[in-house]
Amino acid sequence: MNFSYNCFSEKGEVSLPDKVFTASCLEDGFQPIVFLDSCVCLHIIKVVEHKRKAQGVNIQRILALKEYITKYPETRIDPFFAFLELCSQKESFDFEKFEDFRHRIDFFTQVPIKIFKSFNYDFYRDFFVFRRIPPMKGDPMEPVNQILKNSYCTLLKIRSLATKGLTKSNAEYNIDALADWMTNELNIFRGAEYKLGMNIFGGNTEFRKMIGLNKPKDVKKKLKGTAWDMFHSKFTANSFRISEILQKAIYPFFLTSDANLFKIFQNFSIEIVKDGGENFVTSFVMTSDFSYPHLDDTFIEKNNKKLFYLFVNRSNHQHLFNEEKVDRMISELEAENNIPF
């Protein structure tokens, strides 16, 4: 079913699972789940509340998604990670917003399709028929805070290097500097962010907007948004990682209205994931993709060897998140990037 959303799995861009694939997953003990990005969730919420008057939304996309989940009820849609992003934009997690959003997505999934397509419903009148949400215990952001902070810090470093020069003569230096900084300063190698840095320093100009080079007034918001995108791409389209984290055998898909992020991963690459027990935050990426205008094959080969030996030398390294140090690095890098506190 093609409805102009982009769907990704660990195999890259794919179609949403059909009945044959879903039946095969269930037979093997895996639950197929489609994780929604924050933009898709907000569009659903707008249509649930405002129906035909919803602004800034392609209603046909939402109707097509409703048709899909009606036709394939065995495949669940899940907004949880999108809600983490949407409800954590203040100093503390907004539990009230989380509950409000959850009710609207539940309404969308459970209201009969004929009623939804005719818009013959009133959410404020009808939502009570859907399940109540049990109260959340603790801080839901605690498991992901260190991942997001490490990612945001790395994106700040990429931008700091980029502002000093993105010419071909700077490309190799910038890539080496980023790898050395992650290894020696941040003390964790961020594979996805490194691939983004290779694209930016390697001359693929379309990726510059992901670190806010084109809109200096919105840099902090843009970088934090990209950090969330990195999180989504690494954890909601990787069956091994997310099954280990959630302690459930699932086959994940990621549904998004913005495919730019996944262009980073669309070409062939080799990813080495370090399995350190409960430590799932270290990965290395080697590449056989030579589509970098500023880089030649010799550098790519040399760089791959460097990353491989880094992986070997750090194979027994257990990452210990030093929040105080990372917060200090973030403050210093925000100052370098002229980002107001």
Side-chain angles (χ1 to χ4, degrees):
M1 185 176 296
N2 181 9
F3 46 65
S4 69
Y5 280 125
N6 301 99
C7 184
F8 297 87
S9 75
E10 58 196 10
K11 296 181 180 178
E13 188 168 6
V14 295
S15 299
L16 282 168
D18 58 19
K19 285 190 176 181
V20 174
F21 182 87
T22 299
S24 175
C25 276
L26 295 174
E27 185 177 347
D28 293 337
F30 289 86
Q31 169 69 54
I33 297 181
V34 179
F35 291 97
L36 309 178
D37 80 352
S38 56
C39 186
V40 175
C41 284
L42 286 176
H43 287 176
I44 293 172
I45 289 165
K46 285 183 178 181
V47 173
V48 166
E49 287 205 25
H50 304 293
K51 297 184 276 193
R52 291 188 179 91
K53 295 181 180 179
Q55 296 183 355
V57 178
N58 184 331
I59 294 179
Q60 293 306 312
R61 280 183 172 184
I62 305 302
L63 294 177
L65 180 58
K66 178 63 179 174
E67 289 178 0
Y68 172 82
I69 63 175
T70 301
K71 186 175 181 180
Y72 302 106
E74 299 88 357
T75 300
R76 286 175 45 208
I77 62 169
D78 195 312
F80 179 74
F81 292 110
F83 286 173
L84 286 185
E85 178 181 356
L86 294 169
C87 301
S88 63
Q89 296 174 358
K90 298 180 180 179
E91 292 183 2
S92 59
F93 190 81
D94 192 333
F95 289 95
E96 184 176 349
K97 179 186 285 188
F98 177 88
E99 186 170 355
D100 286 344
F101 283 0
R102 178 80 250 191
H103 279 308
R104 285 155 178 77
I105 299 296
D106 279 352
F107 185 93
F108 171 73
T109 59
Q110 297 183 42
V111 66
I113 189 169
K114 288 184 179 180
I115 295 176
F116 186 79
K117 290 182 71 173
S118 68
F119 298 108
N120 186 25
Y121 64 84
D122 184 332
F123 169 75
Y124 294 97
R125 179 194 66 203
D126 302 331
F127 89 97
F128 67 90
V129 302
F130 301 105
R131 67 182 177 88
R132 300 296 299 175
I133 302 170
M136 298 180 68
K137 297 180 180 179
D139 180 4
M141 290 297 297
E142 185 175 354
V144 300
N145 268 331
Q146 74 173 64
I147 300 168
L148 293 171
K149 283 193 175 185
N150 280 331
S151 180
Y152 176 62
C153 191
T154 305
L155 295 171
L156 282 166
K157 182 64 178 180
I158 293 172
R159 192 177 190 279
S160 182
L161 289 167
T163 56
K164 296 182 175 83
L166 284 174
T167 61
K168 185 174 182 178
S169 61
N170 291 331
E172 293 184 12
Y173 169 82
N174 284 338
I175 291 170
D176 283 335
L178 176 61
D180 293 342
W181 175 85
M182 283 193 286
T183 303
N184 301 318
E185 299 296 328
L186 189 65
N187 201 31
I188 182 172
F189 200 99
R190 304 285 307 176
E193 289 82 353
Y194 180 74
K195 189 71 180 287
L196 174 61
M198 282 193 70
N199 274 285
I200 292 172
F201 302 139
N204 290 323
T205 57
E206 66 268 26
F207 294 98
R208 295 179 182 181
K209 62 185 177 181
M210 293 182 68
I211 56 171
L213 285 178
N214 300 328
K215 295 183 178 180
K217 292 183 179 180
D218 299 323
V219 171
K220 190 168 189 175
K221 180 180 179 181
K222 186 62 180 178
L223 291 180
K224 285 188 175 291
T226 299
W228 272 105
D229 286 343
M230 292 291 181
F231 172 82
H232 290 310
S233 68
K234 292 188 72 174
F235 286 88
T236 59
N238 186 315
S239 58
F240 170 77
R241 275 180 193 275
I242 203 163
S243 293
E244 289 287 339
I245 291 168
L246 299 181
Q247 294 296 295
K248 295 179 180 178
I250 66 174
Y251 194 102
F253 295 82
F254 182 62
L255 194 69
T256 178
S257 57
D258 183 0
N260 287 333
L261 169 71
F262 288 88
K263 291 178 181 178
I264 298 173
F265 309 104
Q266 70 183 0
N267 296 310
F268 176 73
S269 63
I270 302 172
E271 184 178 6
I272 304 174
V273 178
K274 177 190 168 196
D275 176 10
E278 295 181 356
N279 179 15
F280 297 103
V281 292
T282 301
S283 64
F284 291 77
V285 60
M286 299 166 64
T287 182
S288 298
D289 166 31
F290 301 122
S291 58
Y292 301 99
H294 292 172
L295 306 175
D296 58 26
D297 293 2
T298 301
F299 175 77
I300 294 290
E301 183 178 352
K302 180 182 72 174
N303 194 58
N304 280 347
K305 288 181 179 179
K306 176 180 179 177
L307 296 185
F308 179 77
Y309 285 120
L310 272 175
F311 172 78
V312 171
N313 293 334
R314 293 166 61 87
S315 60
N316 294 320
H317 175 75
Q318 289 290 327
H319 173 65
L320 298 175
F321 179 59
N322 186 333
E323 188 167 17
E324 183 178 347
K325 178 184 177 182
V326 173
D327 284 343
R328 182 174 67 253
M329 293 168 68
I330 286 174
S331 296
E332 293 170 354
L333 287 167
E334 284 181 340
E336 285 185 27
N337 283 281
N338 297 315
I339 297 175
F341 297 106

